[in-house]
Amino acid sequence: LDLNVSENGSFFAGAGLDYIEAELSTGPYSVEGEGDGWHVTGGYAHRFGGVILEAAVNHIEADLDFGGGEFEASTNVFSLGARFAL
């Protein structure tokens, strides 16, 4: 979903399903897990000439199986990026 707010700027939002692989480590011990998850994303993008700068927030939820039981994980990610036209 994109919502243009000016000639060069827009807000965007989206959601999706994920397959997630994870590793938990502490000292010499490590455990790997995997499972299904989902995410929602929202942000703002602005075009400056041939460069698009964007800021986004992602919320991710997952149900992971580490072989010895299931674990629910949740995180928020904030990112800044630039895209260049080729």
Side-chain angles (χ1 to χ4, degrees), residues 3-77:
L3 174 62
N4 292 331
V5 292
S6 71
E7 182 178 328
N8 294 318
S10 65
F11 287 100
F12 58 89
L17 300 175
D18 304 304
Y19 175 76
I20 298 173
E21 294 179 336
E23 179 179 354
L24 299 175
S25 301
T26 179
Y29 306 103
S30 177
V31 176
E32 294 181 357
E34 58 189 28
D36 296 323
W38 58 271
H39 71 274
V40 292
T41 301
Y44 179 78
H46 195 89
R47 180 183 302 274
F48 294 98
V51 178
I52 299 173
L53 300 177
E54 62 184 27
V57 175
N58 299 291
H59 177 75
I60 303 168
E61 296 277 341
D63 292 322
L64 303 173
D65 184 359
F66 285 93
E70 291 197 7
F71 178 75
E72 293 182 12
S74 173
T75 188
N76 294 307
V77 179

